[in-house]
Amino acid sequence: MKAGEKLRCPHCSEPTVAREKNILSGWKVTGTVLVCPLCGGELGTPEKPGGNSSRAAGAEKLAALLGEVDAGPELRLEKTEEYGRFCRNCRHFIVHPFQSRCGRTGQDADPMGECGQFELRKETE
C-alpha cells in the first residue's frame, strides 16, 4: 500500500485515502506508517519504492554537476537566422540593472519585445 491510495478503513469502515505519518522517538524520525486521516487508525507500513530513492537520485545529480560522472550528450544551441528577433538580441539594446533601454529610440525596452528596427548583435559586442 502507498500513501494517497484509496481504500476502506478497517477501523472506521469509511472510504478514505491513506496518509503517511512519521513515527517519532524524541525529536528523531524512526519510521513511517500509513494512517487513516479520518480516525487515525494505522493501516500498515508504506511500500518501499523499487528504484532510486530521492536521496540517491539527488546524489547522482550532484555528482553529475561536479563532473564526477558522465552527464550525457552535450546539447548545443546554435544561433541561426531564426534565433529570435527579441530586443535582448538586438545590437541597440542597452542593459542596465534597473532599466533596459533601446539605444536607437532612447525609450524603455522590454527584453522579450520586438520591433521593426531589429539588428542582430554581433558576438564581439
Side-chain angles (χ1 to χ4, degrees):
M1 184 181 317
K2 296 183 260 184
E5 189 174 312
K6 294 180 182 178
L7 59 111
R8 185 167 293 277
C9 177
H11 302 285
C12 63
S13 301
E14 294 291 327
T16 186
V17 176
R19 181 176 64 94
E20 199 169 284
K21 179 180 177 183
N22 291 331
I23 301 172
L24 299 173
S25 174
W27 291 101
K28 288 193 173 192
V29 176
T30 58
T32 57
V33 293
L34 295 174
V35 296
C36 172
L38 300 175
C39 68
E42 287 191 20
L43 303 173
T45 58
E47 293 177 1
K48 298 292 180 192
N52 287 346
S53 68
S54 61
R55 181 173 280 182
E60 289 175 6
K61 289 178 183 178
L62 179 62
L65 176 70
L66 297 174
E68 296 175 5
V69 295
D70 182 25
E74 182 180 338
L75 299 175
R76 297 194 53 126
L77 299 175
E78 300 293 331
K79 289 185 182 179
T80 62
E81 213 170 288
E82 308 275 324
Y83 175 60
R85 299 179 55 86
F86 299 120
C87 286
R88 68 172 186 217
N89 301 328
C90 181
R91 67 181 292 247
H92 301 290
F93 185 66
I94 301 170
V95 180
H96 187 271
F98 303 112
Q99 186 176 28
S100 300
R101 303 199 121 215
C102 176
R104 177 174 265 179
T105 64
Q107 296 179 351
D108 291 346
D110 177 19
M112 297 301 290
E114 295 183 27
C115 74
Q117 301 168 344
F118 176 83
E119 293 179 33
L120 185 63
R121 179 182 1 212
K122 294 183 176 66
E123 292 296 321
T124 58
E125 291 184 44

PDB file of all heavy atoms in Angstrom, residues 35-69:
ATOM      1  N   VAL A  35      -1.723   5.906   7.874  1.00  0.00           N
ATOM      2  CA  VAL A  35      -2.846   6.063   8.799  1.00  0.00           C
ATOM      3  C   VAL A  35      -4.079   6.551   8.038  1.00  0.00           C
ATOM      4  O   VAL A  35      -3.975   7.129   6.962  1.00  0.00           O
ATOM      5  CB  VAL A  35      -2.522   7.054   9.942  1.00  0.00           C
ATOM      6  CG1 VAL A  35      -1.398   6.525  10.807  1.00  0.00           C
ATOM      7  CG2 VAL A  35      -2.192   8.418   9.417  1.00  0.00           C
ATOM      8  N   CYS A  36      -5.230   6.341   8.648  1.00  0.00           N
ATOM      9  CA  CYS A  36      -6.498   6.867   8.139  1.00  0.00           C
ATOM     10  C   CYS A  36      -6.609   8.304   8.623  1.00  0.00           C
ATOM     11  O   CYS A  36      -6.531   8.559   9.823  1.00  0.00           O
ATOM     12  CB  CYS A  36      -7.656   6.032   8.660  1.00  0.00           C
ATOM     13  SG  CYS A  36      -9.272   6.740   8.281  1.00  0.00           S
ATOM     14  N   PRO A  37      -6.788   9.283   7.721  1.00  0.00           N
ATOM     15  CA  PRO A  37      -6.900  10.667   8.171  1.00  0.00           C
ATOM     16  C   PRO A  37      -8.199  10.958   8.921  1.00  0.00           C
ATOM     17  O   PRO A  37      -8.284  11.948   9.641  1.00  0.00           O
ATOM     18  CB  PRO A  37      -6.810  11.484   6.885  1.00  0.00           C
ATOM     19  CG  PRO A  37      -7.052  10.549   5.776  1.00  0.00           C
ATOM     20  CD  PRO A  37      -6.771   9.177   6.274  1.00  0.00           C
ATOM     21  N   LEU A  38      -9.192  10.091   8.813  1.00  0.00           N
ATOM     22  CA  LEU A  38     -10.464  10.325   9.488  1.00  0.00           C
ATOM     23  C   LEU A  38     -10.435   9.888  10.946  1.00  0.00           C
ATOM     24  O   LEU A  38     -10.850  10.628  11.832  1.00  0.00           O
ATOM     25  CB  LEU A  38     -11.588   9.599   8.754  1.00  0.00           C
ATOM     26  CG  LEU A  38     -11.798  10.019   7.288  1.00  0.00           C
ATOM     27  CD1 LEU A  38     -12.842   9.140   6.635  1.00  0.00           C
ATOM     28  CD2 LEU A  38     -12.195  11.475   7.216  1.00  0.00           C
ATOM     29  N   CYS A  39      -9.938   8.667  11.198  1.00  0.00           N
ATOM     30  CA  CYS A  39      -9.957   8.157  12.572  1.00  0.00           C
ATOM     31  C   CYS A  39      -8.573   8.021  13.180  1.00  0.00           C
ATOM     32  O   CYS A  39      -8.442   7.820  14.379  1.00  0.00           O
ATOM     33  CB  CYS A  39     -10.668   6.807  12.621  1.00  0.00           C
ATOM     34  SG  CYS A  39      -9.782   5.463  11.790  1.00  0.00           S
ATOM     35  N   GLY A  40      -7.525   8.110  12.375  1.00  0.00           N
ATOM     36  CA  GLY A  40      -6.162   7.997  12.880  1.00  0.00           C
ATOM     37  C   GLY A  40      -5.680   6.574  13.057  1.00  0.00           C
ATOM     38  O   GLY A  40      -4.587   6.350  13.573  1.00  0.00           O
ATOM     39  N   GLY A  41      -6.477   5.597  12.630  1.00  0.00           N
ATOM     40  CA  GLY A  41      -6.084   4.195  12.771  1.00  0.00           C
ATOM     41  C   GLY A  41      -4.944   3.833  11.823  1.00  0.00           C
ATOM     42  O   GLY A  41      -4.891   4.285  10.684  1.00  0.00           O
ATOM     43  N   GLU A  42      -4.022   2.985  12.316  1.00  0.00           N
ATOM     44  CA  GLU A  42      -2.885   2.571  11.489  1.00  0.00           C
ATOM     45  C   GLU A  42      -3.336   1.573  10.436  1.00  0.00           C
ATOM     46  O   GLU A  42      -4.115   0.666  10.700  1.00  0.00           O
ATOM     47  CB  GLU A  42      -1.797   1.956  12.367  1.00  0.00           C
ATOM     48  CG  GLU A  42      -1.058   2.972  13.186  1.00  0.00           C
ATOM     49  CD  GLU A  42       0.196   2.394  13.838  1.00  0.00           C
ATOM     50  OE1 GLU A  42       0.689   1.363  13.373  1.00  0.00           O
ATOM     51  OE2 GLU A  42       0.651   3.001  14.808  1.00  0.00           O
ATOM     52  N   LEU A  43      -2.810   1.748   9.227  1.00  0.00           N
ATOM     53  CA  LEU A  43      -3.164   0.893   8.101  1.00  0.00           C
ATOM     54  C   LEU A  43      -2.009   0.026   7.632  1.00  0.00           C
ATOM     55  O   LEU A  43      -2.172  -0.779   6.729  1.00  0.00           O
ATOM     56  CB  LEU A  43      -3.653   1.762   6.924  1.00  0.00           C
ATOM     57  CG  LEU A  43      -4.837   2.669   7.222  1.00  0.00           C
ATOM     58  CD1 LEU A  43      -5.113   3.579   6.044  1.00  0.00           C
ATOM     59  CD2 LEU A  43      -6.061   1.841   7.560  1.00  0.00           C
ATOM     60  N   GLY A  44      -0.826   0.193   8.197  1.00  0.00           N
ATOM     61  CA  GLY A  44       0.336  -0.603   7.814  1.00  0.00           C
ATOM     62  C   GLY A  44       1.520   0.283   7.466  1.00  0.00           C
ATOM     63  O   GLY A  44       1.510   1.490   7.681  1.00  0.00           O
ATOM     64  N   THR A  45       2.546  -0.338   6.920  1.00  0.00           N
ATOM     65  CA  THR A  45       3.741   0.409   6.527  1.00  0.00           C
ATOM     66  C   THR A  45       3.714   0.650   5.028  1.00  0.00           C
ATOM     67  O   THR A  45       3.208  -0.178   4.269  1.00  0.00           O
ATOM     68  CB  THR A  45       5.023  -0.353   6.904  1.00  0.00           C
ATOM     69  OG1 THR A  45       4.994  -1.621   6.268  1.00  0.00           O
ATOM     70  CG2 THR A  45       5.135  -0.531   8.402  1.00  0.00           C
ATOM     71  N   PRO A  46       4.262   1.775   4.579  1.00  0.00           N
ATOM     72  CA  PRO A  46       4.264   2.060   3.144  1.00  0.00           C
ATOM     73  C   PRO A  46       5.244   1.175   2.399  1.00  0.00           C
ATOM     74  O   PRO A  46       6.255   0.727   2.945  1.00  0.00           O
ATOM     75  CB  PRO A  46       4.692   3.529   3.074  1.00  0.00           C
ATOM     76  CG  PRO A  46       5.376   3.815   4.348  1.00  0.00           C
ATOM     77  CD  PRO A  46       4.822   2.869   5.357  1.00  0.00           C
ATOM     78  N   GLU A  47       4.922   0.895   1.134  1.00  0.00           N
ATOM     79  CA  GLU A  47       5.817   0.119   0.281  1.00  0.00           C
ATOM     80  C   GLU A  47       7.054   0.939  -0.015  1.00  0.00           C
ATOM     81  O   GLU A  47       6.997   2.149  -0.182  1.00  0.00           O
ATOM     82  CB  GLU A  47       5.139  -0.215  -1.052  1.00  0.00           C
ATOM     83  CG  GLU A  47       3.979  -1.136  -0.947  1.00  0.00           C
ATOM     84  CD  GLU A  47       3.311  -1.353  -2.293  1.00  0.00           C
ATOM     85  OE1 GLU A  47       3.772  -0.796  -3.298  1.00  0.00           O
ATOM     86  OE2 GLU A  47       2.313  -2.071  -2.321  1.00  0.00           O
ATOM     87  N   LYS A  48       8.178   0.271  -0.097  1.00  0.00           N
ATOM     88  CA  LYS A  48       9.415   0.944  -0.468  1.00  0.00           C
ATOM     89  C   LYS A  48       9.459   1.036  -1.983  1.00  0.00           C
ATOM     90  O   LYS A  48       9.167   0.059  -2.678  1.00  0.00           O
ATOM     91  CB  LYS A  48      10.636   0.166   0.037  1.00  0.00           C
ATOM     92  CG  LYS A  48      10.686   0.059   1.538  1.00  0.00           C
ATOM     93  CD  LYS A  48      10.948   1.399   2.144  1.00  0.00           C
ATOM     94  CE  LYS A  48      11.008   1.306   3.654  1.00  0.00           C
ATOM     95  NZ  LYS A  48      10.980   2.564   4.296  1.00  0.00           N
ATOM     96  N   PRO A  49       9.823   2.200  -2.541  1.00  0.00           N
ATOM     97  CA  PRO A  49       9.920   2.306  -3.994  1.00  0.00           C
ATOM     98  C   PRO A  49      11.014   1.385  -4.507  1.00  0.00           C
ATOM     99  O   PRO A  49      12.050   1.211  -3.871  1.00  0.00           O
ATOM    100  CB  PRO A  49      10.249   3.777  -4.246  1.00  0.00           C
ATOM    101  CG  PRO A  49      10.704   4.324  -2.943  1.00  0.00           C
ATOM    102  CD  PRO A  49      10.159   3.444  -1.870  1.00  0.00           C
ATOM    103  N   GLY A  50      10.785   0.828  -5.671  1.00  0.00           N
ATOM    104  CA  GLY A  50      11.710  -0.153  -6.225  1.00  0.00           C
ATOM    105  C   GLY A  50      12.893   0.424  -6.948  1.00  0.00           C
ATOM    106  O   GLY A  50      13.709  -0.274  -7.462  1.00  0.00           O
ATOM    107  N   GLY A  51      13.080   1.683  -7.043  1.00  0.00           N
ATOM    108  CA  GLY A  51      14.209   2.236  -7.784  1.00  0.00           C
ATOM    109  C   GLY A  51      15.091   3.059  -6.886  1.00  0.00           C
ATOM    110  O   GLY A  51      15.289   2.752  -5.715  1.00  0.00           O
ATOM    111  N   ASN A  52      15.633   4.115  -7.465  1.00  0.00           N
ATOM    112  CA  ASN A  52      16.469   5.028  -6.694  1.00  0.00           C
ATOM    113  C   ASN A  52      15.605   5.800  -5.711  1.00  0.00           C
ATOM    114  O   ASN A  52      14.520   6.242  -6.036  1.00  0.00           O
ATOM    115  CB  ASN A  52      17.153   6.041  -7.620  1.00  0.00           C
ATOM    116  CG  ASN A  52      18.244   5.415  -8.423  1.00  0.00           C
ATOM    117  OD1 ASN A  52      18.676   4.311  -8.134  1.00  0.00           O
ATOM    118  ND2 ASN A  52      18.700   6.111  -9.438  1.00  0.00           N
ATOM    119  N   SER A  53      16.094   5.947  -4.504  1.00  0.00           N
ATOM    120  CA  SER A  53      15.390   6.817  -3.572  1.00  0.00           C
ATOM    121  C   SER A  53      15.669   8.250  -3.980  1.00  0.00           C
ATOM    122  O   SER A  53      16.570   8.528  -4.756  1.00  0.00           O
ATOM    123  CB  SER A  53      15.858   6.558  -2.146  1.00  0.00           C
ATOM    124  OG  SER A  53      17.200   6.983  -2.002  1.00  0.00           O
ATOM    125  N   SER A  54      14.900   9.172  -3.452  1.00  0.00           N
ATOM    126  CA  SER A  54      15.097  10.573  -3.826  1.00  0.00           C
ATOM    127  C   SER A  54      16.470  11.066  -3.386  1.00  0.00           C
ATOM    128  O   SER A  54      17.094  11.879  -4.046  1.00  0.00           O
ATOM    129  CB  SER A  54      13.996  11.440  -3.229  1.00  0.00           C
ATOM    130  OG  SER A  54      14.025  11.346  -1.825  1.00  0.00           O
ATOM    131  N   ARG A  55      16.977  10.558  -2.263  1.00  0.00           N
ATOM    132  CA  ARG A  55      18.302  10.956  -1.787  1.00  0.00           C
ATOM    133  C   ARG A  55      19.384  10.446  -2.745  1.00  0.00           C
ATOM    134  O   ARG A  55      20.327  11.162  -3.063  1.00  0.00           O
ATOM    135  CB  ARG A  55      18.540  10.424  -0.389  1.00  0.00           C
ATOM    136  CG  ARG A  55      19.893  10.821   0.168  1.00  0.00           C
ATOM    137  CD  ARG A  55      20.014  10.424   1.593  1.00  0.00           C
ATOM    138  NE  ARG A  55      19.318  11.436   2.376  1.00  0.00           N
ATOM    139  CZ  ARG A  55      19.252  11.444   3.677  1.00  0.00           C
ATOM    140  NH1 ARG A  55      19.823  10.486   4.362  1.00  0.00           N
ATOM    141  NH2 ARG A  55      18.631  12.400   4.312  1.00  0.00           N
ATOM    142  N   ALA A  56      19.258   9.197  -3.229  1.00  0.00           N
ATOM    143  CA  ALA A  56      20.238   8.645  -4.158  1.00  0.00           C
ATOM    144  C   ALA A  56      20.184   9.383  -5.493  1.00  0.00           C
ATOM    145  O   ALA A  56      21.222   9.651  -6.109  1.00  0.00           O
ATOM    146  CB  ALA A  56      19.995   7.154  -4.359  1.00  0.00           C
ATOM    147  N   ALA A  57      18.981   9.729  -5.944  1.00  0.00           N
ATOM    148  CA  ALA A  57      18.849  10.466  -7.195  1.00  0.00           C
ATOM    149  C   ALA A  57      19.479  11.850  -7.067  1.00  0.00           C
ATOM    150  O   ALA A  57      20.150  12.330  -7.980  1.00  0.00           O
ATOM    151  CB  ALA A  57      17.382  10.585  -7.592  1.00  0.00           C
ATOM    152  N   GLY A  58      19.309  12.496  -5.910  1.00  0.00           N
ATOM    153  CA  GLY A  58      19.920  13.798  -5.673  1.00  0.00           C
ATOM    154  C   GLY A  58      21.434  13.705  -5.655  1.00  0.00           C
ATOM    155  O   GLY A  58      22.131  14.587  -6.158  1.00  0.00           O
ATOM    156  N   ALA A  59      21.970  12.620  -5.080  1.00  0.00           N
ATOM    157  CA  ALA A  59      23.420  12.428  -5.043  1.00  0.00           C
ATOM    158  C   ALA A  59      23.973  12.235  -6.448  1.00  0.00           C
ATOM    159  O   ALA A  59      25.053  12.736  -6.772  1.00  0.00           O
ATOM    160  CB  ALA A  59      23.762  11.233  -4.163  1.00  0.00           C
ATOM    161  N   GLU A  60      23.226  11.511  -7.304  1.00  0.00           N
ATOM    162  CA  GLU A  60      23.666  11.322  -8.689  1.00  0.00           C
ATOM    163  C   GLU A  60      23.680  12.647  -9.449  1.00  0.00           C
ATOM    164  O   GLU A  60      24.608  12.926 -10.212  1.00  0.00           O
ATOM    165  CB  GLU A  60      22.757  10.330  -9.398  1.00  0.00           C
ATOM    166  CG  GLU A  60      22.933   8.906  -8.922  1.00  0.00           C
ATOM    167  CD  GLU A  60      21.935   7.969  -9.561  1.00  0.00           C
ATOM    168  OE1 GLU A  60      21.178   8.408 -10.460  1.00  0.00           O
ATOM    169  OE2 GLU A  60      21.906   6.791  -9.164  1.00  0.00           O
ATOM    170  N   LYS A  61      22.680  13.484  -9.221  1.00  0.00           N
ATOM    171  CA  LYS A  61      22.633  14.787  -9.891  1.00  0.00           C
ATOM    172  C   LYS A  61      23.780  15.676  -9.436  1.00  0.00           C
ATOM    173  O   LYS A  61      24.384  16.388 -10.224  1.00  0.00           O
ATOM    174  CB  LYS A  61      21.296  15.476  -9.630  1.00  0.00           C
ATOM    175  CG  LYS A  61      20.140  14.830 -10.342  1.00  0.00           C
ATOM    176  CD  LYS A  61      18.849  15.540 -10.008  1.00  0.00           C
ATOM    177  CE  LYS A  61      17.654  14.866 -10.642  1.00  0.00           C
ATOM    178  NZ  LYS A  61      16.404  15.520 -10.276  1.00  0.00           N
ATOM    179  N   LEU A  62      24.095  15.635  -8.133  1.00  0.00           N
ATOM    180  CA  LEU A  62      25.195  16.432  -7.607  1.00  0.00           C
ATOM    181  C   LEU A  62      26.523  15.955  -8.190  1.00  0.00           C
ATOM    182  O   LEU A  62      27.368  16.771  -8.569  1.00  0.00           O
ATOM    183  CB  LEU A  62      25.237  16.353  -6.082  1.00  0.00           C
ATOM    184  CG  LEU A  62      26.368  17.122  -5.410  1.00  0.00           C
ATOM    185  CD1 LEU A  62      26.242  18.616  -5.721  1.00  0.00           C
ATOM    186  CD2 LEU A  62      26.369  16.892  -3.927  1.00  0.00           C
ATOM    187  N   ALA A  63      26.717  14.647  -8.298  1.00  0.00           N
ATOM    188  CA  ALA A  63      27.946  14.112  -8.872  1.00  0.00           C
ATOM    189  C   ALA A  63      28.069  14.532 -10.330  1.00  0.00           C
ATOM    190  O   ALA A  63      29.160  14.872 -10.806  1.00  0.00           O
ATOM    191  CB  ALA A  63      27.967  12.592  -8.749  1.00  0.00           C
ATOM    192  N   ALA A  64      26.965  14.549 -11.066  1.00  0.00           N
ATOM    193  CA  ALA A  64      26.993  14.980 -12.460  1.00  0.00           C
ATOM    194  C   ALA A  64      27.336  16.460 -12.551  1.00  0.00           C
ATOM    195  O   ALA A  64      28.080  16.874 -13.439  1.00  0.00           O
ATOM    196  CB  ALA A  64      25.643  14.706 -13.119  1.00  0.00           C
ATOM    197  N   LEU A  65      26.817  17.262 -11.633  1.00  0.00           N
ATOM    198  CA  LEU A  65      27.106  18.688 -11.621  1.00  0.00           C
ATOM    199  C   LEU A  65      28.586  18.951 -11.368  1.00  0.00           C
ATOM    200  O   LEU A  65      29.186  19.831 -11.970  1.00  0.00           O
ATOM    201  CB  LEU A  65      26.258  19.383 -10.554  1.00  0.00           C
ATOM    202  CG  LEU A  65      26.517  20.871 -10.363  1.00  0.00           C
ATOM    203  CD1 LEU A  65      26.019  21.634 -11.584  1.00  0.00           C
ATOM    204  CD2 LEU A  65      25.833  21.374  -9.125  1.00  0.00           C
ATOM    205  N   LEU A  66      29.183  18.170 -10.476  1.00  0.00           N
ATOM    206  CA  LEU A  66      30.590  18.351 -10.137  1.00  0.00           C
ATOM    207  C   LEU A  66      31.529  17.693 -11.134  1.00  0.00           C
ATOM    208  O   LEU A  66      32.738  17.762 -10.984  1.00  0.00           O
ATOM    209  CB  LEU A  66      30.851  17.816  -8.726  1.00  0.00           C
ATOM    210  CG  LEU A  66      30.089  18.536  -7.613  1.00  0.00           C
ATOM    211  CD1 LEU A  66      30.317  17.838  -6.290  1.00  0.00           C
ATOM    212  CD2 LEU A  66      30.495  19.994  -7.545  1.00  0.00           C
ATOM    213  N   GLY A  67      30.979  17.022 -12.144  1.00  0.00           N
ATOM    214  CA  GLY A  67      31.799  16.429 -13.188  1.00  0.00           C
ATOM    215  C   GLY A  67      32.364  15.071 -12.840  1.00  0.00           C
ATOM    216  O   GLY A  67      33.317  14.620 -13.460  1.00  0.00           O
ATOM    217  N   GLU A  68      31.799  14.408 -11.860  1.00  0.00           N
ATOM    218  CA  GLU A  68      32.319  13.114 -11.451  1.00  0.00           C
ATOM    219  C   GLU A  68      31.773  11.964 -12.284  1.00  0.00           C
ATOM    220  O   GLU A  68      32.329  10.880 -12.274  1.00  0.00           O
ATOM    221  CB  GLU A  68      32.014  12.889  -9.979  1.00  0.00           C
ATOM    222  CG  GLU A  68      32.726  13.892  -9.088  1.00  0.00           C
ATOM    223  CD  GLU A  68      32.335  13.758  -7.636  1.00  0.00           C
ATOM    224  OE1 GLU A  68      31.582  12.828  -7.293  1.00  0.00           O
ATOM    225  OE2 GLU A  68      32.782  14.590  -6.848  1.00  0.00           O
ATOM    226  N   VAL A  69      30.678  12.178 -12.993  1.00  0.00           N
ATOM    227  CA  VAL A  69      30.117  11.147 -13.863  1.00  0.00           C
ATOM    228  C   VAL A  69      29.732  11.787 -15.192  1.00  0.00           C
ATOM    229  O   VAL A  69      29.606  13.003 -15.299  1.00  0.00           O
ATOM    230  CB  VAL A  69      28.865  10.468 -13.241  1.00  0.00           C
ATOM    231  CG1 VAL A  69      29.230   9.716 -11.991  1.00  0.00           C
ATOM    232  CG2 VAL A  69      27.786  11.469 -12.965  1.00  0.00           C
TER     233      VAL A  69
END
